[in-house]
Amino acid sequence: AQSVSQHNHHVILSEAASLELGCNYSYGGTVNLFWYVQYPGQHLQLLLKYFSGDPLVKGIKGFEAEFIKSKFSFNLRKPSVQWSDTAEYFCAVNAGNNRKLIWGLGTSLAVNP
Amino acid sequence: EAGVTQSPTHLIKTRGQQATLRCSPISGHTSVYWYQQALGLGLQFLLWYDEGEERNRGNFPPRFSGRQFPNYSSELNVNALELEDSALYLCASSPRGGGNTEAFFGQGTRLTVV
């Protein structure tokens, strides 16, 4: 069965620190990959996505993610976090055209000012 | 442009009752998805509706059902409520078309079963 693993459940950083959140999936075929973010009190919104092409994807607010097919990974990165990045981050994978997104459990990021 | 709207925002029911949750997609979107976000379990896919038909279903019992109306809005019904059904229920919508498109989420309905 398809699954998505997010290795870090809770991350605490100071402002200006670098961020990397891990995401691994289990599916051998073609995948579409997403990172969603949920800021406190707000709804889930798309951060970035990968469908094909350049495996290094740039998203909003300075985030980027790299698809490494051989490692079944799609890690999220940001070189310098801000207090406003405090949120819950979810990795999701869609394999095939069944529109069934498989979600990781999420990573709670707290950035201290 | 209005986003995905869900109602009610909070719902309290007793065990054994039925709950009905509603979702209005973004104008022009034909696909509606339902997810359950339970504490400690993350987001679990429930249902996908497109063009009025159920296209895919997650691993939930039949007492979780729904429908999509001609205007593409959708209802999620949960019968014979159990305490474990307490969760945030999220609705998302996406445009028509094949391939894989971004889903836009609503704020959710917080269902509490007592």
PDB file of all heavy atoms in Angstrom, chain A residues 34-61:
ATOM      1  N   PHE A  34       3.437  16.798  -3.261  1.00  0.00           N
ATOM      2  CA  PHE A  34       2.968  18.095  -2.775  1.00  0.00           C
ATOM      3  C   PHE A  34       3.471  18.351  -1.359  1.00  0.00           C
ATOM      4  O   PHE A  34       3.626  17.423  -0.568  1.00  0.00           O
ATOM      5  CB  PHE A  34       1.428  18.136  -2.727  1.00  0.00           C
ATOM      6  CG  PHE A  34       0.738  17.800  -4.014  1.00  0.00           C
ATOM      7  CD1 PHE A  34       0.572  16.475  -4.408  1.00  0.00           C
ATOM      8  CD2 PHE A  34       0.235  18.807  -4.825  1.00  0.00           C
ATOM      9  CE1 PHE A  34      -0.079  16.158  -5.589  1.00  0.00           C
ATOM     10  CE2 PHE A  34      -0.421  18.493  -6.010  1.00  0.00           C
ATOM     11  CZ  PHE A  34      -0.578  17.175  -6.388  1.00  0.00           C
ATOM     12  N   TRP A  35       3.685  19.609  -1.064  1.00  0.00           N
ATOM     13  CA  TRP A  35       3.817  20.065   0.313  1.00  0.00           C
ATOM     14  C   TRP A  35       2.737  21.100   0.548  1.00  0.00           C
ATOM     15  O   TRP A  35       2.610  22.059  -0.201  1.00  0.00           O
ATOM     16  CB  TRP A  35       5.181  20.696   0.582  1.00  0.00           C
ATOM     17  CG  TRP A  35       6.248  19.715   0.934  1.00  0.00           C
ATOM     18  CD1 TRP A  35       7.208  19.191   0.109  1.00  0.00           C
ATOM     19  CD2 TRP A  35       6.509  19.137   2.221  1.00  0.00           C
ATOM     20  NE1 TRP A  35       8.021  18.327   0.787  1.00  0.00           N
ATOM     21  CE2 TRP A  35       7.626  18.277   2.088  1.00  0.00           C
ATOM     22  CE3 TRP A  35       5.929  19.278   3.482  1.00  0.00           C
ATOM     23  CZ2 TRP A  35       8.154  17.552   3.163  1.00  0.00           C
ATOM     24  CZ3 TRP A  35       6.446  18.565   4.552  1.00  0.00           C
ATOM     25  CH2 TRP A  35       7.552  17.711   4.388  1.00  0.00           C
ATOM     26  N   TYR A  36       1.960  20.855   1.602  1.00  0.00           N
ATOM     27  CA  TYR A  36       0.939  21.804   2.026  1.00  0.00           C
ATOM     28  C   TYR A  36       1.334  22.373   3.383  1.00  0.00           C
ATOM     29  O   TYR A  36       2.026  21.725   4.175  1.00  0.00           O
ATOM     30  CB  TYR A  36      -0.423  21.122   2.150  1.00  0.00           C
ATOM     31  CG  TYR A  36      -1.177  20.958   0.863  1.00  0.00           C
ATOM     32  CD1 TYR A  36      -0.903  19.905  -0.020  1.00  0.00           C
ATOM     33  CD2 TYR A  36      -2.178  21.857   0.507  1.00  0.00           C
ATOM     34  CE1 TYR A  36      -1.605  19.762  -1.199  1.00  0.00           C
ATOM     35  CE2 TYR A  36      -2.893  21.722  -0.678  1.00  0.00           C
ATOM     36  CZ  TYR A  36      -2.601  20.671  -1.515  1.00  0.00           C
ATOM     37  OH  TYR A  36      -3.297  20.537  -2.685  1.00  0.00           O
ATOM     38  N   VAL A  37       0.855  23.573   3.654  1.00  0.00           N
ATOM     39  CA  VAL A  37       1.137  24.214   4.936  1.00  0.00           C
ATOM     40  C   VAL A  37      -0.170  24.681   5.562  1.00  0.00           C
ATOM     41  O   VAL A  37      -1.106  25.072   4.853  1.00  0.00           O
ATOM     42  CB  VAL A  37       2.114  25.409   4.757  1.00  0.00           C
ATOM     43  CG1 VAL A  37       1.537  26.472   3.840  1.00  0.00           C
ATOM     44  CG2 VAL A  37       2.488  26.010   6.108  1.00  0.00           C
ATOM     45  N   GLN A  38      -0.242  24.581   6.868  1.00  0.00           N
ATOM     46  CA  GLN A  38      -1.422  25.048   7.601  1.00  0.00           C
ATOM     47  C   GLN A  38      -0.948  25.984   8.697  1.00  0.00           C
ATOM     48  O   GLN A  38      -0.408  25.546   9.725  1.00  0.00           O
ATOM     49  CB  GLN A  38      -2.191  23.873   8.189  1.00  0.00           C
ATOM     50  CG  GLN A  38      -3.528  24.258   8.783  1.00  0.00           C
ATOM     51  CD  GLN A  38      -4.367  23.033   9.139  1.00  0.00           C
ATOM     52  OE1 GLN A  38      -3.845  21.952   9.417  1.00  0.00           O
ATOM     53  NE2 GLN A  38      -5.680  23.193   9.127  1.00  0.00           N
ATOM     54  N   TYR A  39      -1.116  27.281   8.461  1.00  0.00           N
ATOM     55  CA  TYR A  39      -0.761  28.266   9.474  1.00  0.00           C
ATOM     56  C   TYR A  39      -1.825  28.262  10.575  1.00  0.00           C
ATOM     57  O   TYR A  39      -2.968  27.890  10.325  1.00  0.00           O
ATOM     58  CB  TYR A  39      -0.619  29.653   8.854  1.00  0.00           C
ATOM     59  CG  TYR A  39       0.494  29.737   7.839  1.00  0.00           C
ATOM     60  CD1 TYR A  39       0.223  29.739   6.468  1.00  0.00           C
ATOM     61  CD2 TYR A  39       1.829  29.778   8.237  1.00  0.00           C
ATOM     62  CE1 TYR A  39       1.243  29.784   5.539  1.00  0.00           C
ATOM     63  CE2 TYR A  39       2.852  29.822   7.309  1.00  0.00           C
ATOM     64  CZ  TYR A  39       2.552  29.821   5.966  1.00  0.00           C
ATOM     65  OH  TYR A  39       3.568  29.851   5.051  1.00  0.00           O
ATOM     66  N   PRO A  40      -1.461  28.654  11.786  1.00  0.00           N
ATOM     67  CA  PRO A  40      -2.420  28.627  12.897  1.00  0.00           C
ATOM     68  C   PRO A  40      -3.725  29.342  12.548  1.00  0.00           C
ATOM     69  O   PRO A  40      -3.722  30.497  12.115  1.00  0.00           O
ATOM     70  CB  PRO A  40      -1.661  29.360  14.014  1.00  0.00           C
ATOM     71  CG  PRO A  40      -0.225  29.138  13.705  1.00  0.00           C
ATOM     72  CD  PRO A  40      -0.130  29.131  12.207  1.00  0.00           C
ATOM     73  N   GLY A  41      -4.817  28.632  12.693  1.00  0.00           N
ATOM     74  CA  GLY A  41      -6.137  29.209  12.448  1.00  0.00           C
ATOM     75  C   GLY A  41      -6.519  29.341  10.996  1.00  0.00           C
ATOM     76  O   GLY A  41      -7.581  29.888  10.686  1.00  0.00           O
ATOM     77  N   GLN A  42      -5.680  28.866  10.097  1.00  0.00           N
ATOM     78  CA  GLN A  42      -5.986  28.984   8.674  1.00  0.00           C
ATOM     79  C   GLN A  42      -6.177  27.604   8.047  1.00  0.00           C
ATOM     80  O   GLN A  42      -5.896  26.579   8.656  1.00  0.00           O
ATOM     81  CB  GLN A  42      -4.865  29.733   7.953  1.00  0.00           C
ATOM     82  CG  GLN A  42      -4.710  31.169   8.417  1.00  0.00           C
ATOM     83  CD  GLN A  42      -3.714  31.938   7.570  1.00  0.00           C
ATOM     84  OE1 GLN A  42      -3.517  31.641   6.390  1.00  0.00           O
ATOM     85  NE2 GLN A  42      -3.084  32.934   8.164  1.00  0.00           N
ATOM     86  N   HIS A  43      -6.645  27.611   6.814  1.00  0.00           N
ATOM     87  CA  HIS A  43      -6.854  26.345   6.145  1.00  0.00           C
ATOM     88  C   HIS A  43      -5.570  25.879   5.446  1.00  0.00           C
ATOM     89  O   HIS A  43      -4.629  26.652   5.269  1.00  0.00           O
ATOM     90  CB  HIS A  43      -7.985  26.480   5.126  1.00  0.00           C
ATOM     91  CG  HIS A  43      -7.751  27.552   4.110  1.00  0.00           C
ATOM     92  ND1 HIS A  43      -8.121  28.854   4.305  1.00  0.00           N
ATOM     93  CD2 HIS A  43      -7.154  27.509   2.899  1.00  0.00           C
ATOM     94  CE1 HIS A  43      -7.782  29.569   3.260  1.00  0.00           C
ATOM     95  NE2 HIS A  43      -7.199  28.782   2.385  1.00  0.00           N
ATOM     96  N   LEU A  44      -5.556  24.627   5.084  1.00  0.00           N
ATOM     97  CA  LEU A  44      -4.428  24.069   4.345  1.00  0.00           C
ATOM     98  C   LEU A  44      -4.253  24.801   3.020  1.00  0.00           C
ATOM     99  O   LEU A  44      -5.212  25.079   2.324  1.00  0.00           O
ATOM    100  CB  LEU A  44      -4.680  22.596   4.035  1.00  0.00           C
ATOM    101  CG  LEU A  44      -4.320  21.573   5.104  1.00  0.00           C
ATOM    102  CD1 LEU A  44      -4.971  20.247   4.779  1.00  0.00           C
ATOM    103  CD2 LEU A  44      -2.820  21.431   5.213  1.00  0.00           C
ATOM    104  N   GLN A  45      -3.009  25.096   2.687  1.00  0.00           N
ATOM    105  CA  GLN A  45      -2.753  25.707   1.392  1.00  0.00           C
ATOM    106  C   GLN A  45      -1.487  25.119   0.794  1.00  0.00           C
ATOM    107  O   GLN A  45      -0.592  24.669   1.503  1.00  0.00           O
ATOM    108  CB  GLN A  45      -2.652  27.231   1.509  1.00  0.00           C
ATOM    109  CG  GLN A  45      -1.632  27.717   2.509  1.00  0.00           C
ATOM    110  CD  GLN A  45      -1.728  29.220   2.713  1.00  0.00           C
ATOM    111  OE1 GLN A  45      -1.270  29.984   1.877  1.00  0.00           O
ATOM    112  NE2 GLN A  45      -2.302  29.628   3.815  1.00  0.00           N
ATOM    113  N   LEU A  46      -1.450  25.152  -0.534  1.00  0.00           N
ATOM    114  CA  LEU A  46      -0.335  24.547  -1.241  1.00  0.00           C
ATOM    115  C   LEU A  46       0.920  25.393  -1.091  1.00  0.00           C
ATOM    116  O   LEU A  46       0.903  26.598  -1.287  1.00  0.00           O
ATOM    117  CB  LEU A  46      -0.681  24.397  -2.712  1.00  0.00           C
ATOM    118  CG  LEU A  46       0.354  23.684  -3.565  1.00  0.00           C
ATOM    119  CD1 LEU A  46       0.400  22.199  -3.192  1.00  0.00           C
ATOM    120  CD2 LEU A  46       0.039  23.849  -5.046  1.00  0.00           C
ATOM    121  N   LEU A  47       2.017  24.719  -0.764  1.00  0.00           N
ATOM    122  CA  LEU A  47       3.324  25.370  -0.656  1.00  0.00           C
ATOM    123  C   LEU A  47       4.087  25.207  -1.967  1.00  0.00           C
ATOM    124  O   LEU A  47       4.643  26.150  -2.516  1.00  0.00           O
ATOM    125  CB  LEU A  47       4.106  24.736   0.496  1.00  0.00           C
ATOM    126  CG  LEU A  47       5.222  25.486   1.189  1.00  0.00           C
ATOM    127  CD1 LEU A  47       4.765  26.860   1.647  1.00  0.00           C
ATOM    128  CD2 LEU A  47       5.727  24.677   2.376  1.00  0.00           C
ATOM    129  N   LEU A  48       4.131  23.979  -2.447  1.00  0.00           N
ATOM    130  CA  LEU A  48       4.762  23.685  -3.728  1.00  0.00           C
ATOM    131  C   LEU A  48       4.357  22.293  -4.173  1.00  0.00           C
ATOM    132  O   LEU A  48       3.805  21.512  -3.401  1.00  0.00           O
ATOM    133  CB  LEU A  48       6.289  23.810  -3.634  1.00  0.00           C
ATOM    134  CG  LEU A  48       7.014  23.127  -2.478  1.00  0.00           C
ATOM    135  CD1 LEU A  48       7.172  21.652  -2.689  1.00  0.00           C
ATOM    136  CD2 LEU A  48       8.405  23.754  -2.276  1.00  0.00           C
ATOM    137  N   LYS A  49       4.661  22.008  -5.451  1.00  0.00           N
ATOM    138  CA  LYS A  49       4.262  20.719  -5.999  1.00  0.00           C
ATOM    139  C   LYS A  49       5.265  20.285  -7.064  1.00  0.00           C
ATOM    140  O   LYS A  49       5.932  21.131  -7.684  1.00  0.00           O
ATOM    141  CB  LYS A  49       2.864  20.795  -6.609  1.00  0.00           C
ATOM    142  CG  LYS A  49       2.762  21.803  -7.736  1.00  0.00           C
ATOM    143  CD  LYS A  49       1.321  21.981  -8.194  1.00  0.00           C
ATOM    144  CE  LYS A  49       1.235  23.067  -9.258  1.00  0.00           C
ATOM    145  NZ  LYS A  49      -0.170  23.367  -9.646  1.00  0.00           N
ATOM    146  N   TYR A  50       5.364  19.002  -7.268  1.00  0.00           N
ATOM    147  CA  TYR A  50       6.187  18.441  -8.320  1.00  0.00           C
ATOM    148  C   TYR A  50       5.339  17.477  -9.138  1.00  0.00           C
ATOM    149  O   TYR A  50       4.755  16.535  -8.600  1.00  0.00           O
ATOM    150  CB  TYR A  50       7.405  17.697  -7.746  1.00  0.00           C
ATOM    151  CG  TYR A  50       8.149  16.939  -8.826  1.00  0.00           C
ATOM    152  CD1 TYR A  50       9.052  17.600  -9.659  1.00  0.00           C
ATOM    153  CD2 TYR A  50       7.910  15.585  -9.036  1.00  0.00           C
ATOM    154  CE1 TYR A  50       9.710  16.923 -10.666  1.00  0.00           C
ATOM    155  CE2 TYR A  50       8.563  14.905 -10.044  1.00  0.00           C
ATOM    156  CZ  TYR A  50       9.461  15.573 -10.853  1.00  0.00           C
ATOM    157  OH  TYR A  50      10.090  14.912 -11.863  1.00  0.00           O
ATOM    158  N   PHE A  51       5.326  17.716 -10.443  1.00  0.00           N
ATOM    159  CA  PHE A  51       4.664  16.788 -11.355  1.00  0.00           C
ATOM    160  C   PHE A  51       5.681  16.132 -12.280  1.00  0.00           C
ATOM    161  O   PHE A  51       5.658  14.923 -12.482  1.00  0.00           O
ATOM    162  CB  PHE A  51       3.600  17.504 -12.197  1.00  0.00           C
ATOM    163  CG  PHE A  51       2.373  17.899 -11.420  1.00  0.00           C
ATOM    164  CD1 PHE A  51       1.437  18.751 -11.982  1.00  0.00           C
ATOM    165  CD2 PHE A  51       2.143  17.444 -10.131  1.00  0.00           C
ATOM    166  CE1 PHE A  51       0.298  19.123 -11.270  1.00  0.00           C
ATOM    167  CE2 PHE A  51       1.017  17.801  -9.414  1.00  0.00           C
ATOM    168  CZ  PHE A  51       0.092  18.648  -9.997  1.00  0.00           C
ATOM    169  N   SER A  52       6.561  16.933 -12.845  1.00  0.00           N
ATOM    170  CA  SER A  52       7.574  16.400 -13.758  1.00  0.00           C
ATOM    171  C   SER A  52       8.613  17.488 -13.990  1.00  0.00           C
ATOM    172  O   SER A  52       8.456  18.622 -13.543  1.00  0.00           O
ATOM    173  CB  SER A  52       6.948  15.970 -15.086  1.00  0.00           C
ATOM    174  OG  SER A  52       6.398  17.084 -15.759  1.00  0.00           O
ATOM    175  N   GLY A  53       9.668  17.150 -14.703  1.00  0.00           N
ATOM    176  CA  GLY A  53      10.677  18.139 -15.057  1.00  0.00           C
ATOM    177  C   GLY A  53      11.742  18.288 -13.990  1.00  0.00           C
ATOM    178  O   GLY A  53      12.138  17.327 -13.333  1.00  0.00           O
ATOM    179  N   ASP A  54      12.188  19.513 -13.806  1.00  0.00           N
ATOM    180  CA  ASP A  54      13.261  19.821 -12.858  1.00  0.00           C
ATOM    181  C   ASP A  54      12.898  19.299 -11.472  1.00  0.00           C
ATOM    182  O   ASP A  54      11.882  19.696 -10.912  1.00  0.00           O
ATOM    183  CB  ASP A  54      13.491  21.338 -12.809  1.00  0.00           C
ATOM    184  CG  ASP A  54      14.727  21.734 -12.011  1.00  0.00           C
ATOM    185  OD1 ASP A  54      15.245  20.895 -11.238  1.00  0.00           O
ATOM    186  OD2 ASP A  54      15.156  22.889 -12.144  1.00  0.00           O
ATOM    187  N   PRO A  55      13.708  18.423 -10.917  1.00  0.00           N
ATOM    188  CA  PRO A  55      13.369  17.857  -9.606  1.00  0.00           C
ATOM    189  C   PRO A  55      13.506  18.839  -8.451  1.00  0.00           C
ATOM    190  O   PRO A  55      13.054  18.556  -7.339  1.00  0.00           O
ATOM    191  CB  PRO A  55      14.380  16.711  -9.455  1.00  0.00           C
ATOM    192  CG  PRO A  55      15.514  17.079 -10.326  1.00  0.00           C
ATOM    193  CD  PRO A  55      14.930  17.830 -11.481  1.00  0.00           C
ATOM    194  N   LEU A  56      14.128  19.973  -8.689  1.00  0.00           N
ATOM    195  CA  LEU A  56      14.213  20.999  -7.648  1.00  0.00           C
ATOM    196  C   LEU A  56      13.081  21.991  -7.890  1.00  0.00           C
ATOM    197  O   LEU A  56      13.062  22.694  -8.894  1.00  0.00           O
ATOM    198  CB  LEU A  56      15.572  21.697  -7.687  1.00  0.00           C
ATOM    199  CG  LEU A  56      15.815  22.716  -6.574  1.00  0.00           C
ATOM    200  CD1 LEU A  56      15.762  22.055  -5.203  1.00  0.00           C
ATOM    201  CD2 LEU A  56      17.152  23.404  -6.775  1.00  0.00           C
ATOM    202  N   VAL A  57      12.153  22.026  -6.964  1.00  0.00           N
ATOM    203  CA  VAL A  57      10.939  22.821  -7.132  1.00  0.00           C
ATOM    204  C   VAL A  57      10.971  24.009  -6.184  1.00  0.00           C
ATOM    205  O   VAL A  57      11.248  23.862  -4.998  1.00  0.00           O
ATOM    206  CB  VAL A  57       9.694  21.960  -6.829  1.00  0.00           C
ATOM    207  CG1 VAL A  57       8.435  22.787  -6.983  1.00  0.00           C
ATOM    208  CG2 VAL A  57       9.650  20.742  -7.724  1.00  0.00           C
ATOM    209  N   LYS A  58      10.667  25.173  -6.735  1.00  0.00           N
ATOM    210  CA  LYS A  58      10.580  26.376  -5.904  1.00  0.00           C
ATOM    211  C   LYS A  58       9.119  26.643  -5.563  1.00  0.00           C
ATOM    212  O   LYS A  58       8.238  26.536  -6.424  1.00  0.00           O
ATOM    213  CB  LYS A  58      11.122  27.584  -6.677  1.00  0.00           C
ATOM    214  CG  LYS A  58      12.542  27.414  -7.178  1.00  0.00           C
ATOM    215  CD  LYS A  58      13.561  27.564  -6.083  1.00  0.00           C
ATOM    216  CE  LYS A  58      14.984  27.562  -6.663  1.00  0.00           C
ATOM    217  NZ  LYS A  58      16.012  27.634  -5.591  1.00  0.00           N
ATOM    218  N   GLY A  59       8.874  26.983  -4.298  1.00  0.00           N
ATOM    219  CA  GLY A  59       7.523  27.288  -3.881  1.00  0.00           C
ATOM    220  C   GLY A  59       7.406  28.707  -3.380  1.00  0.00           C
ATOM    221  O   GLY A  59       8.294  29.535  -3.595  1.00  0.00           O
ATOM    222  N   ILE A  60       6.317  28.947  -2.664  1.00  0.00           N
ATOM    223  CA  ILE A  60       6.101  30.286  -2.119  1.00  0.00           C
ATOM    224  C   ILE A  60       6.949  30.514  -0.878  1.00  0.00           C
ATOM    225  O   ILE A  60       7.427  29.548  -0.259  1.00  0.00           O
ATOM    226  CB  ILE A  60       4.611  30.510  -1.781  1.00  0.00           C
ATOM    227  CG1 ILE A  60       4.131  29.492  -0.733  1.00  0.00           C
ATOM    228  CG2 ILE A  60       3.751  30.411  -3.033  1.00  0.00           C
ATOM    229  CD1 ILE A  60       2.751  29.773  -0.197  1.00  0.00           C
ATOM    230  N   LYS A  61       7.150  31.762  -0.545  1.00  0.00           N
ATOM    231  CA  LYS A  61       7.801  32.164   0.704  1.00  0.00           C
ATOM    232  C   LYS A  61       9.205  31.599   0.883  1.00  0.00           C
ATOM    233  O   LYS A  61       9.643  31.355   2.011  1.00  0.00           O
ATOM    234  CB  LYS A  61       6.918  31.794   1.900  1.00  0.00           C
ATOM    235  CG  LYS A  61       5.537  32.414   1.807  1.00  0.00           C
ATOM    236  CD  LYS A  61       4.693  32.151   3.038  1.00  0.00           C
ATOM    237  CE  LYS A  61       3.328  32.795   2.873  1.00  0.00           C
ATOM    238  NZ  LYS A  61       2.485  32.664   4.072  1.00  0.00           N
TER     239      LYS A  61
END
